[in-house]
PDB file of all heavy atoms in Angstrom:
ATOM      1  N   LEU T 122      73.937 -50.665 -78.384  1.00 96.00           N
ATOM      2  CA  LEU T 122      74.898 -49.868 -77.632  1.00 96.00           C
ATOM      3  C   LEU T 122      76.261 -49.812 -78.299  1.00 96.00           C
ATOM      4  O   LEU T 122      77.126 -49.042 -77.878  1.00 96.00           O
ATOM      5  CB  LEU T 122      75.039 -50.430 -76.212  1.00 96.00           C
ATOM      6  CG  LEU T 122      73.826 -50.219 -75.302  1.00 96.00           C
ATOM      7  CD1 LEU T 122      74.005 -50.981 -74.007  1.00 96.00           C
ATOM      8  CD2 LEU T 122      73.601 -48.738 -75.036  1.00 96.00           C
ATOM      9  N   ALA T 123      76.485 -50.635 -79.327  1.00 95.00           N
ATOM     10  CA  ALA T 123      77.738 -50.573 -80.076  1.00 95.00           C
ATOM     11  C   ALA T 123      77.707 -49.373 -81.016  1.00 95.00           C
ATOM     12  O   ALA T 123      76.665 -49.050 -81.602  1.00 95.00           O
ATOM     13  CB  ALA T 123      77.944 -51.862 -80.873  1.00 95.00           C
ATOM     14  N   GLU T 124      78.828 -48.715 -81.155  1.00 94.00           N
ATOM     15  CA  GLU T 124      78.894 -47.578 -82.071  1.00 94.00           C
ATOM     16  C   GLU T 124      78.797 -48.064 -83.504  1.00 94.00           C
ATOM     17  O   GLU T 124      79.427 -49.059 -83.886  1.00 94.00           O
ATOM     18  CB  GLU T 124      80.189 -46.796 -81.854  1.00 94.00           C
ATOM     19  CG  GLU T 124      80.203 -45.471 -82.588  1.00 94.00           C
ATOM     20  CD  GLU T 124      81.285 -44.529 -82.070  1.00 94.00           C
ATOM     21  OE1 GLU T 124      81.865 -44.804 -81.012  1.00 94.00           O
ATOM     22  OE2 GLU T 124      81.529 -43.515 -82.741  1.00 94.00           O
ATOM     23  N   ILE T 125      77.996 -47.396 -84.311  1.00 96.00           N
ATOM     24  CA  ILE T 125      77.776 -47.795 -85.701  1.00 96.00           C
ATOM     25  C   ILE T 125      78.994 -47.404 -86.537  1.00 96.00           C
ATOM     26  O   ILE T 125      79.472 -46.269 -86.472  1.00 96.00           O
ATOM     27  CB  ILE T 125      76.515 -47.127 -86.251  1.00 96.00           C
ATOM     28  CG1 ILE T 125      75.288 -47.592 -85.464  1.00 96.00           C
ATOM     29  CG2 ILE T 125      76.333 -47.433 -87.730  1.00 96.00           C
ATOM     30  CD1 ILE T 125      74.014 -46.845 -85.809  1.00 96.00           C
ATOM     31  N   THR T 126      79.488 -48.357 -87.309  1.00 95.00           N
ATOM     32  CA  THR T 126      80.630 -48.108 -88.189  1.00 95.00           C
ATOM     33  C   THR T 126      80.329 -48.681 -89.570  1.00 95.00           C
ATOM     34  O   THR T 126      79.366 -49.414 -89.766  1.00 95.00           O
ATOM     35  CB  THR T 126      81.917 -48.744 -87.637  1.00 95.00           C
ATOM     36  OG1 THR T 126      81.734 -50.173 -87.544  1.00 95.00           O
ATOM     37  CG2 THR T 126      82.261 -48.200 -86.261  1.00 95.00           C
ATOM     38  N   GLY T 127      81.188 -48.344 -90.528  1.00 94.00           N
ATOM     39  CA  GLY T 127      81.025 -48.858 -91.881  1.00 94.00           C
ATOM     40  C   GLY T 127      81.645 -47.908 -92.892  1.00 94.00           C
ATOM     41  O   GLY T 127      82.175 -46.846 -92.546  1.00 94.00           O
ATOM     42  N   ASN T 128      81.568 -48.287 -94.152  1.00 93.00           N
ATOM     43  CA  ASN T 128      82.117 -47.446 -95.218  1.00 93.00           C
ATOM     44  C   ASN T 128      80.992 -46.728 -95.945  1.00 93.00           C
ATOM     45  O   ASN T 128      79.860 -46.667 -95.467  1.00 93.00           O
ATOM     46  CB  ASN T 128      82.963 -48.292 -96.179  1.00 93.00           C
ATOM     47  CG  ASN T 128      82.170 -49.448 -96.776  1.00 93.00           C
ATOM     48  OD1 ASN T 128      80.941 -49.398 -96.886  1.00 93.00           O
ATOM     49  ND2 ASN T 128      82.863 -50.510 -97.154  1.00 93.00           N
ATOM     50  N   TRP T 129      81.269 -46.201 -97.131  1.00 91.00           N
ATOM     51  CA  TRP T 129      80.275 -45.406 -97.844  1.00 91.00           C
ATOM     52  C   TRP T 129      79.106 -46.252 -98.345  1.00 91.00           C
ATOM     53  O   TRP T 129      78.079 -45.695 -98.744  1.00 91.00           O
ATOM     54  CB  TRP T 129      80.920 -44.643 -98.991  1.00 91.00           C
ATOM     55  CG  TRP T 129      81.371 -45.468-100.173  1.00 91.00           C
ATOM     56  CD1 TRP T 129      81.882 -46.723-100.156  1.00 91.00           C
ATOM     57  CD2 TRP T 129      81.371 -45.059-101.539  1.00 91.00           C
ATOM     58  NE1 TRP T 129      82.199 -47.131-101.425  1.00 91.00           N
ATOM     59  CE2 TRP T 129      81.903 -46.125-102.300  1.00 91.00           C
ATOM     60  CE3 TRP T 129      80.997 -43.899-102.203  1.00 91.00           C
ATOM     61  CZ2 TRP T 129      82.046 -46.058-103.684  1.00 91.00           C
ATOM     62  CZ3 TRP T 129      81.145 -43.828-103.579  1.00 91.00           C
ATOM     63  CH2 TRP T 129      81.666 -44.905-104.314  1.00 91.00           C
ATOM     64  N   GLY T 130      79.205 -47.574 -98.272  1.00 90.00           N
ATOM     65  CA  GLY T 130      78.091 -48.432 -98.635  1.00 90.00           C
ATOM     66  C   GLY T 130      77.073 -48.610 -97.528  1.00 90.00           C
ATOM     67  O   GLY T 130      76.005 -49.190 -97.752  1.00 90.00           O
ATOM     68  N   SER T 131      77.374 -48.114 -96.335  1.00 93.00           N
ATOM     69  CA  SER T 131      76.441 -48.202 -95.216  1.00 93.00           C
ATOM     70  C   SER T 131      75.511 -46.996 -95.238  1.00 93.00           C
ATOM     71  O   SER T 131      75.963 -45.851 -95.190  1.00 93.00           O
ATOM     72  CB  SER T 131      77.217 -48.254 -93.891  1.00 93.00           C
ATOM     73  OG  SER T 131      76.372 -47.978 -92.793  1.00 93.00           O
ATOM     74  N   ASP T 132      74.195 -47.252 -95.276  1.00 94.00           N
ATOM     75  CA  ASP T 132      73.241 -46.142 -95.288  1.00 94.00           C
ATOM     76  C   ASP T 132      73.355 -45.293 -94.028  1.00 94.00           C
ATOM     77  O   ASP T 132      73.193 -44.070 -94.077  1.00 94.00           O
ATOM     78  CB  ASP T 132      71.811 -46.674 -95.414  1.00 94.00           C
ATOM     79  CG  ASP T 132      71.495 -47.177 -96.807  1.00 94.00           C
ATOM     80  OD1 ASP T 132      72.369 -47.060 -97.682  1.00 94.00           O
ATOM     81  OD2 ASP T 132      70.389 -47.702 -97.019  1.00 94.00           O
ATOM     82  N   ALA T 133      73.619 -45.924 -92.898  1.00 96.00           N
ATOM     83  CA  ALA T 133      73.745 -45.167 -91.653  1.00 96.00           C
ATOM     84  C   ALA T 133      74.897 -44.179 -91.731  1.00 96.00           C
ATOM     85  O   ALA T 133      74.761 -43.012 -91.337  1.00 96.00           O
ATOM     86  CB  ALA T 133      73.950 -46.125 -90.478  1.00 96.00           C
ATOM     87  N   ILE T 134      76.023 -44.632 -92.243  1.00 96.00           N
ATOM     88  CA  ILE T 134      77.214 -43.786 -92.302  1.00 96.00           C
ATOM     89  C   ILE T 134      77.115 -42.764 -93.423  1.00 96.00           C
ATOM     90  O   ILE T 134      77.518 -41.612 -93.278  1.00 96.00           O
ATOM     91  CB  ILE T 134      78.474 -44.657 -92.473  1.00 96.00           C
ATOM     92  CG1 ILE T 134      78.636 -45.607 -91.282  1.00 96.00           C
ATOM     93  CG2 ILE T 134      79.706 -43.797 -92.660  1.00 96.00           C
ATOM     94  CD1 ILE T 134      78.698 -44.914 -89.938  1.00 96.00           C
ATOM     95  N   SER T 135      76.578 -43.171 -94.564  1.00 95.00           N
ATOM     96  CA  SER T 135      76.588 -42.276 -95.718  1.00 95.00           C
ATOM     97  C   SER T 135      75.577 -41.154 -95.600  1.00 95.00           C
ATOM     98  O   SER T 135      75.827 -40.044 -96.081  1.00 95.00           O
ATOM     99  CB  SER T 135      76.336 -43.068 -97.014  1.00 95.00           C
ATOM    100  OG  SER T 135      75.029 -43.608 -97.034  1.00 95.00           O
ATOM    101  N   TYR T 136      74.415 -41.388 -94.917  1.00 96.00           N
ATOM    102  CA  TYR T 136      73.473 -40.271 -94.827  1.00 96.00           C
ATOM    103  C   TYR T 136      72.577 -40.265 -93.598  1.00 96.00           C
ATOM    104  O   TYR T 136      72.252 -39.189 -93.074  1.00 96.00           O
ATOM    105  CB  TYR T 136      72.624 -40.170 -96.092  1.00 96.00           C
ATOM    106  CG  TYR T 136      71.591 -41.235 -96.323  1.00 96.00           C
ATOM    107  CD1 TYR T 136      70.255 -41.007 -96.012  1.00 96.00           C
ATOM    108  CD2 TYR T 136      71.926 -42.462 -96.894  1.00 96.00           C
ATOM    109  CE1 TYR T 136      69.286 -41.975 -96.250  1.00 96.00           C
ATOM    110  CE2 TYR T 136      70.970 -43.427 -97.132  1.00 96.00           C
ATOM    111  CZ  TYR T 136      69.652 -43.179 -96.812  1.00 96.00           C
ATOM    112  OH  TYR T 136      68.703 -44.138 -97.048  1.00 96.00           O
ATOM    113  N   HIS T 137      72.119 -41.409 -93.073  1.00 97.00           N
ATOM    114  CA  HIS T 137      71.217 -41.370 -91.922  1.00 97.00           C
ATOM    115  C   HIS T 137      71.837 -40.644 -90.724  1.00 97.00           C
ATOM    116  O   HIS T 137      71.131 -39.920 -90.006  1.00 97.00           O
ATOM    117  CB  HIS T 137      70.829 -42.792 -91.499  1.00 97.00           C
ATOM    118  CG  HIS T 137      69.841 -43.451 -92.398  1.00 97.00           C
ATOM    119  ND1 HIS T 137      68.667 -42.842 -92.781  1.00 97.00           N
ATOM    120  CD2 HIS T 137      69.846 -44.672 -93.001  1.00 97.00           C
ATOM    121  CE1 HIS T 137      67.993 -43.658 -93.579  1.00 97.00           C
ATOM    122  NE2 HIS T 137      68.690 -44.776 -93.733  1.00 97.00           N
ATOM    123  N   LEU T 138      73.123 -40.830 -90.498  1.00 97.00           N
ATOM    124  CA  LEU T 138      73.798 -40.176 -89.386  1.00 97.00           C
ATOM    125  C   LEU T 138      74.658 -38.996 -89.830  1.00 97.00           C
ATOM    126  O   LEU T 138      74.960 -38.112 -89.013  1.00 97.00           O
ATOM    127  CB  LEU T 138      74.672 -41.182 -88.628  1.00 97.00           C
ATOM    128  CG  LEU T 138      73.909 -42.284 -87.894  1.00 97.00           C
ATOM    129  CD1 LEU T 138      74.885 -43.238 -87.203  1.00 97.00           C
ATOM    130  CD2 LEU T 138      72.939 -41.712 -86.877  1.00 97.00           C
ATOM    131  N   LEU T 139      75.056 -38.982 -91.087  1.00 97.00           N
ATOM    132  CA  LEU T 139      75.842 -37.846 -91.583  1.00 97.00           C
ATOM    133  C   LEU T 139      75.050 -36.553 -91.467  1.00 97.00           C
ATOM    134  O   LEU T 139      75.547 -35.539 -90.966  1.00 97.00           O
ATOM    135  CB  LEU T 139      76.249 -38.082 -93.040  1.00 97.00           C
ATOM    136  CG  LEU T 139      76.895 -36.877 -93.731  1.00 97.00           C
ATOM    137  CD1 LEU T 139      78.247 -36.558 -93.099  1.00 97.00           C
ATOM    138  CD2 LEU T 139      77.041 -37.120 -95.227  1.00 97.00           C
ATOM    139  N   GLY T 140      73.789 -36.578 -91.941  1.00 97.00           N
ATOM    140  CA  GLY T 140      72.968 -35.383 -91.878  1.00 97.00           C
ATOM    141  C   GLY T 140      72.849 -34.836 -90.466  1.00 97.00           C
ATOM    142  O   GLY T 140      73.184 -33.669 -90.210  1.00 97.00           O
ATOM    143  N   PRO T 141      72.384 -35.627 -89.491  1.00 98.00           N
ATOM    144  CA  PRO T 141      72.265 -35.118 -88.117  1.00 98.00           C
ATOM    145  C   PRO T 141      73.562 -34.565 -87.550  1.00 98.00           C
ATOM    146  O   PRO T 141      73.563 -33.545 -86.864  1.00 98.00           O
ATOM    147  CB  PRO T 141      71.792 -36.347 -87.344  1.00 98.00           C
ATOM    148  CG  PRO T 141      71.055 -37.166 -88.345  1.00 98.00           C
ATOM    149  CD  PRO T 141      71.794 -36.966 -89.636  1.00 98.00           C
ATOM    150  N   LYS T 142      74.680 -35.230 -87.826  1.00 97.00           N
ATOM    151  CA  LYS T 142      75.953 -34.760 -87.272  1.00 97.00           C
ATOM    152  C   LYS T 142      76.340 -33.399 -87.852  1.00 97.00           C
ATOM    153  O   LYS T 142      76.784 -32.500 -87.127  1.00 97.00           O
ATOM    154  CB  LYS T 142      77.046 -35.791 -87.551  1.00 97.00           C
ATOM    155  CG  LYS T 142      78.338 -35.537 -86.800  1.00 97.00           C
ATOM    156  CD  LYS T 142      79.318 -36.681 -86.984  1.00 97.00           C
ATOM    157  CE  LYS T 142      80.615 -36.402 -86.220  1.00 97.00           C
ATOM    158  NZ  LYS T 142      81.596 -37.507 -86.391  1.00 97.00           N
ATOM    159  N   VAL T 143      76.137 -33.231 -89.151  1.00 97.00           N
ATOM    160  CA  VAL T 143      76.445 -31.943 -89.788  1.00 97.00           C
ATOM    161  C   VAL T 143      75.464 -30.871 -89.334  1.00 97.00           C
ATOM    162  O   VAL T 143      75.843 -29.726 -89.071  1.00 97.00           O
ATOM    163  CB  VAL T 143      76.436 -32.095 -91.320  1.00 97.00           C
ATOM    164  CG1 VAL T 143      76.562 -30.734 -92.006  1.00 97.00           C
ATOM    165  CG2 VAL T 143      77.568 -33.009 -91.771  1.00 97.00           C
ATOM    166  N   TRP T 144      74.174 -31.221 -89.227  1.00 98.00           N
ATOM    167  CA  TRP T 144      73.176 -30.236 -88.788  1.00 98.00           C
ATOM    168  C   TRP T 144      73.500 -29.713 -87.397  1.00 98.00           C
ATOM    169  O   TRP T 144      73.377 -28.506 -87.148  1.00 98.00           O
ATOM    170  CB  TRP T 144      71.783 -30.858 -88.786  1.00 98.00           C
ATOM    171  CG  TRP T 144      71.341 -31.401 -90.102  1.00 98.00           C
ATOM    172  CD1 TRP T 144      71.783 -31.030 -91.345  1.00 98.00           C
ATOM    173  CD2 TRP T 144      70.380 -32.434 -90.317  1.00 98.00           C
ATOM    174  NE1 TRP T 144      71.163 -31.771 -92.318  1.00 98.00           N
ATOM    175  CE2 TRP T 144      70.308 -32.640 -91.726  1.00 98.00           C
ATOM    176  CE3 TRP T 144      69.582 -33.211 -89.484  1.00 98.00           C
ATOM    177  CZ2 TRP T 144      69.441 -33.587 -92.286  1.00 98.00           C
ATOM    178  CZ3 TRP T 144      68.728 -34.147 -90.036  1.00 98.00           C
ATOM    179  CH2 TRP T 144      68.658 -34.332 -91.419  1.00 98.00           C
ATOM    180  N   LEU T 145      73.901 -30.584 -86.496  1.00 97.00           N
ATOM    181  CA  LEU T 145      74.242 -30.142 -85.150  1.00 97.00           C
ATOM    182  C   LEU T 145      75.468 -29.230 -85.170  1.00 97.00           C
ATOM    183  O   LEU T 145      75.544 -28.248 -84.420  1.00 97.00           O
ATOM    184  CB  LEU T 145      74.505 -31.347 -84.250  1.00 97.00           C
ATOM    185  CG  LEU T 145      73.278 -32.127 -83.785  1.00 97.00           C
ATOM    186  CD1 LEU T 145      73.696 -33.424 -83.097  1.00 97.00           C
ATOM    187  CD2 LEU T 145      72.430 -31.290 -82.836  1.00 97.00           C
ATOM    188  N   ARG T 146      76.422 -29.541 -86.023  1.00 96.00           N
ATOM    189  CA  ARG T 146      77.633 -28.718 -86.100  1.00 96.00           C
ATOM    190  C   ARG T 146      77.333 -27.341 -86.679  1.00 96.00           C
ATOM    191  O   ARG T 146      77.879 -26.330 -86.234  1.00 96.00           O
ATOM    192  CB  ARG T 146      78.681 -29.441 -86.951  1.00 96.00           C
ATOM    193  CG  ARG T 146      80.032 -28.751 -86.957  1.00 96.00           C
ATOM    194  CD  ARG T 146      81.117 -29.706 -87.406  1.00 96.00           C
ATOM    195  NE  ARG T 146      80.905 -30.217 -88.735  1.00 96.00           N
ATOM    196  CZ  ARG T 146      81.050 -31.507 -89.094  1.00 96.00           C
ATOM    197  NH1 ARG T 146      81.398 -32.398 -88.186  1.00 96.00           N
ATOM    198  NH2 ARG T 146      80.847 -31.893 -90.332  1.00 96.00           N
ATOM    199  N   GLU T 147      76.438 -27.294 -87.661  1.00 96.00           N
ATOM    200  CA  GLU T 147      76.128 -26.028 -88.325  1.00 96.00           C
ATOM    201  C   GLU T 147      74.951 -25.302 -87.689  1.00 96.00           C
ATOM    202  O   GLU T 147      74.696 -24.128 -88.016  1.00 96.00           O
ATOM    203  CB  GLU T 147      75.854 -26.278 -89.809  1.00 96.00           C
ATOM    204  CG  GLU T 147      77.070 -26.849 -90.543  1.00 96.00           C
ATOM    205  CD  GLU T 147      76.822 -27.018 -92.032  1.00 96.00           C
ATOM    206  OE1 GLU T 147      75.661 -26.829 -92.466  1.00 96.00           O
ATOM    207  OE2 GLU T 147      77.786 -27.330 -92.755  1.00 96.00           O
ATOM    208  N   GLY T 148      74.185 -25.991 -86.833  1.00 97.00           N
ATOM    209  CA  GLY T 148      73.077 -25.345 -86.143  1.00 97.00           C
ATOM    210  C   GLY T 148      71.847 -25.118 -86.982  1.00 97.00           C
ATOM    211  O   GLY T 148      70.982 -24.320 -86.613  1.00 97.00           O
ATOM    212  N   VAL T 149      71.725 -25.836 -88.097  1.00 98.00           N
ATOM    213  CA  VAL T 149      70.568 -25.672 -88.971  1.00 98.00           C
ATOM    214  C   VAL T 149      70.386 -26.943 -89.798  1.00 98.00           C
ATOM    215  O   VAL T 149      71.368 -27.631 -90.118  1.00 98.00           O
ATOM    216  CB  VAL T 149      70.747 -24.439 -89.895  1.00 98.00           C
ATOM    217  CG1 VAL T 149      71.900 -24.646 -90.870  1.00 98.00           C
ATOM    218  CG2 VAL T 149      69.466 -24.094 -90.633  1.00 98.00           C
TER     219      VAL T 149
END
Side-chain angles (χ1 to χ4, degrees):
L122 290 172
E124 191 164 348
I125 297 172
T126 61
N128 57 26
W129 71 325
S131 164
D132 286 357
I134 299 303
S135 66
Y136 71 99
H137 285 310
L138 293 179
L139 171 67
K142 191 173 180 180
V143 172
W144 302 336
L145 285 171
R146 187 161 60 225
E147 298 183 352
V149 66

